[in-house]
């Protein structure tokens, strides 16, 4: 048996030793002596403090010591130590929108999984499969959310700590199509936190037309300042989806920015043709947005790898309900959504709440042009299938041997199955101590009310 928080156990032992010491200090009635002035002494029991060679009230002492030690042992989280195996695996399973081949994902995980392995599912968040893991593998289904390998690797390190007491070494296995959108600037740094090599199991993604050469158009008045940025952005191929070797290439659908003016909208919108309809109203309410309770000013906005530092007056906000079924594609510097995307048939609809001021040089700045290009990139249904650079994926594999158990920190927040029983024992000891004390008081009162014996009266 091992204790995850042994400090509580040591503290309870110290308190128990103090309880035993206190039971050697008792109060008792001194030897009786007749004094002429005894009639002036109040008629109450006279006691004094003295040391005893044997502890008093042994049953009470035992119950108090049991209460303290049981409570301390429960807070120390005792764990029954199982015999360790040679090695175990942490299996990261991609269930994001990039992993569309459900059967291939399930078959790959079944071929790898062994009893005792940890299985972590990830898309934009992570979750550990518990209970009947085999049944959980059979029910794997991809979601509509973007994958995040950085979050998955952080969860893998934590899962490795949970296997520390069960295996001498831990292997990391990644099952994923490794789409480009799943990696970010922090992925490489976080990968180095895993102290060993990893096994990459690539699940083939469907072939996709990856050329981002669709036209970017705008539906607005002639004097709209955003028209200048759209003209500078030109076609959205720059920085918005690299062509992948071996995949077919064609236009993925045009992007149309609708400013909500009096100009008639195209009869067939790009979202119906596999493109993006970007609703970016000049003054009216953006779709899915609500008025802010208090208007404020923010100092910047970020979309993908494009960021703009400027003063923006925020009039609209996106409530949590508006994000259901979609994703945030741009954020203000304080983390609030500035633009969101939702699927619409073969394409998508985007709502943008970024004000464009006609004052100053904002619309001709390079970073703002890049922001416009990023907001008009292909829909998530297309970008989620673009594979990552093979050189970047190769870094995930790493070098060296398997991660040793000593490289992981012990998990201190693991649930202990013994702790509830120890707390129940402490509670039972506390209740029993109350009854014993009451019985002691009743016995003492009975002795005081008992008439003195003949020998005492004679004395």
């Amino acid at each position: 048996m091992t204790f995850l928080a042994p400090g509580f156990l040591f503290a309870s032992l110290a308190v128990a030793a103090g309880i035993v010491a206190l039971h050697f200090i008792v109060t008792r009635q001194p030897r009786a002596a007749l004094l002429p002035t005894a009639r002036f002494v109040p008629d109450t029991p006279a006691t004094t403090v003295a040391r005893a060679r044997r502890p008093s009230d042994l049953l009470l002492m035992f119950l108090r010591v049991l209460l303290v030690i049981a409570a301390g042992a429960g807070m120390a989280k005792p764990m029954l130590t199982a015999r360790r195996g040679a090695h175990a695996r942490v299996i990261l399973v991609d269930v994001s929108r990039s992993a569309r081949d459900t059967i291939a994902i399930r078959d790959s995980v079944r071929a790898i999984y062994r009893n005792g392995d940890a299985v972590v599912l990830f898309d934009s968040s992570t979750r550990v499969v518990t209970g009947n893991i085999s049944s959980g593998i059979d029910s794997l289904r991809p979601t509509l959310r973007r994958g995040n390998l950085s979050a998955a690797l952080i969860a893998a390190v934590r899962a490795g700590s949970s296997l520390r007491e069960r295996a001498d070494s831990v292997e990391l296995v990644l099952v994923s199509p490794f789409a480009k959108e799943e990696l970010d600037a922090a992925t490489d740094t976080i990968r180095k936190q895993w102290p060993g090599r990893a096994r990459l199991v690539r699940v083939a993604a469907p072939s996709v037309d990856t050329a981002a050469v669709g036209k970017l158009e705008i539906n607005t008045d002639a004097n709209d300042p955003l028209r200048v940025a759209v003209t500078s952005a030109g076609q959205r191929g720059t920085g918005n989806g690299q062509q992948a070797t071996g995949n077919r290439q064609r236009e993925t659908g045009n992007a149309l920015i609708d400013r909500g003016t009096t100009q008639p909208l195209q009869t067939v919108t790009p979202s119906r043709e596999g493109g993006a309809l970007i609703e970016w109203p000049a003054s009216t309410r953006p779709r899915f947005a609500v008025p802010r309770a208090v208007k404020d000013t923010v100092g910047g906005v970020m979309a993908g790898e494009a960021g703009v530092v400027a003063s923006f007056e925020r009039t609209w906000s996106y409530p949590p309900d508006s994000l259901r079924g979609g994703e945030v594609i741009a954020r203000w510097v304080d983390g609030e959504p500035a633009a969101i995307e939702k699927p619409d048939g073969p394409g998508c609809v985007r709502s943008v709440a970024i004000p464009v001021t006609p004052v100053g040089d904002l619309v001709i700045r390079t970073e703002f042009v890049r922001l416009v290009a990023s907001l008009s990139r292909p829909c998530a249904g297309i970008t989620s299938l673009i594979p990552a650079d093979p050189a970047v994926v190769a870094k995930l594999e790493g070098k060296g041997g398997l991660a040793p158990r000593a490289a992981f920190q012990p998990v201190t927040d693991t649930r202990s199955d013994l702790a509830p029983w120890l707390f129940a024992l402490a509670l039972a000891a506390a209740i029993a101590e109350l009854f014993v004390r009451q019985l002691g008081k009743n016995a003492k009162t009975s002795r005081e009310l008992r008439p003195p014996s003949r020998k005492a009266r004679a004395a």
Side-chain angles (χ1 to χ4, degrees):
M1 179 183 292
T2 183
F3 293 90
L4 299 180
F8 290 102
L9 180 62
F10 296 148
S12 66
L13 292 176
V15 173
I19 292 174
V20 173
L22 290 175
H23 273 262
F24 279 92
I25 302 175
V26 299
T27 57
R28 60 189 180 187
Q29 189 172 2
R31 181 180 300 175
L34 295 177
L35 295 174
T37 58
R39 64 183 181 274
F40 299 108
V41 178
D43 189 15
T44 57
T47 59
T48 185
V49 178
R51 290 194 183 94
R53 294 183 178 179
R54 293 194 313 169
S56 62
D57 299 323
L58 293 179
L59 182 57
L60 272 178
M61 183 187 71
F62 171 75
L63 292 174
R64 290 167 178 169
V65 169
L66 179 62
L67 187 158
V68 171
I69 293 180
M75 289 187 290
K77 294 186 177 181
M79 302 292 293
L80 295 176
T81 305
R83 188 174 66 88
R84 291 197 301 268
H87 74 277
R89 301 172 188 84
V90 175
I91 306 174
L92 297 181
V93 184
D94 190 346
V95 292
S96 69
R97 64 192 182 193
S98 302
R100 302 188 182 182
D101 194 341
T102 306
I103 297 177
I105 289 287
R106 293 176 183 173
D107 291 343
S108 299
V109 177
R110 286 196 200 99
I112 299 168
Y113 175 74
R114 299 291 182 272
N115 288 334
D117 295 345
V119 178
V120 181
L121 309 182
F122 75 92
D123 42 26
S124 59
S125 60
T126 62
R127 49 204 176 275
V128 179
V129 180
T130 58
N132 190 342
I133 298 181
S134 297
S135 177
I137 294 174
D138 293 336
S139 61
L140 291 181
R141 297 184 185 279
T143 66
L144 298 177
R145 290 179 287 190
R146 175 179 178 175
N148 190 332
L149 268 171
S150 296
L153 291 170
I154 293 174
V157 175
R158 183 176 180 84
S161 296
S162 67
L163 298 178
R164 186 178 186 272
E165 303 302 328
R166 286 190 272 168
D168 292 326
S169 58
V170 183
E171 180 184 12
L172 175 62
V173 183
L174 282 77
V175 182
S176 171
F178 300 103
K180 181 181 178 181
E181 69 168 7
E182 298 183 315
L183 290 88
D184 54 40
T187 303
D188 188 43
T189 302
I190 297 174
R191 168 62 183 88
K192 295 176 182 177
Q193 301 301 314
W194 181 272
R197 71 170 187 267
R199 177 160 37 126
L200 307 184
V201 180
R202 185 187 292 274
V203 178
S207 60
V208 61
D209 303 325
T210 58
V213 295
K215 295 179 181 179
L216 172 60
E217 300 177 350
I218 184 170
N219 184 59
T220 185
D221 296 333
N223 58 351
D224 190 341
L226 186 58
R227 184 183 290 276
V228 177
V230 170
T231 303
S232 300
Q235 292 186 341
R236 55 189 175 166
T238 305
N240 295 297
Q242 300 298 324
Q243 297 181 2
T245 303
N247 288 339
R248 300 187 305 274
Q249 298 178 6
R250 68 167 177 85
E251 289 192 4
T252 56
N254 297 336
L256 173 66
I257 297 178
D258 180 24
R259 295 285 282 168
T261 61
T262 57
Q263 298 289 333
L265 193 63
Q266 294 181 0
T267 303
V268 180
T269 61
S271 64
R272 300 302 179 185
E273 299 176 341
L277 173 61
I278 306 168
E279 298 190 354
W280 193 342
S283 58
T284 57
R285 180 180 70 87
R287 189 191 292 198
F288 313 122
V290 297
R292 295 181 66 87
V294 179
K295 296 182 180 180
D296 63 356
T297 302
V298 68
V301 65
M302 188 80 178
E305 298 180 357
V308 178
V309 177
S311 179
F312 295 95
E313 182 180 357
R314 294 193 293 189
T315 306
W316 312 99
S317 64
Y318 293 98
D321 289 345
S322 67
L323 304 180
R324 188 175 295 113
E327 69 169 300
V328 179
I329 60 173
R331 292 186 183 273
W332 301 110
V333 290
D334 61 359
E336 285 194 25
I340 64 174
E341 173 187 318
K342 290 193 175 185
D344 182 30
C348 61
V349 174
R350 295 187 178 127
S351 174
V352 182
I354 303 174
V356 181
T357 176
V359 181
D361 62 346
L362 175 66
V363 295
I364 62 174
R365 287 166 55 180
T366 302
E367 55 267 30
F368 187 78
V369 173
R370 290 176 178 170
L371 178 74
V372 173
S374 180
L375 291 173
S376 61
R377 67 182 183 268
C379 297
I382 296 175
T383 57
S384 63
L385 295 179
I386 299 176
D389 186 350
V392 177
V393 176
K395 292 182 180 180
L396 296 174
E397 188 171 5
K399 299 179 180 179
L402 300 181
R405 62 178 296 272
F408 298 96
Q409 294 292 331
V411 178
T412 57
D413 59 350
T414 301
R415 182 179 180 276
S416 171
D417 294 331
L418 296 177
W421 296 101
L422 291 170
F423 287 133
L425 178 61
L427 180 62
I431 296 174
E433 194 252 1
L434 293 176
F435 281 105
V436 172
R437 288 178 58 185
Q438 187 61 42
L439 290 175
K441 288 181 180 179
N442 293 340
K444 184 177 180 180
T445 303
S446 177
R447 288 195 300 269
E448 291 176 353
L449 297 177
R450 186 183 305 166
S453 62
R454 184 180 302 175
K455 182 176 180 180
R457 288 197 300 268

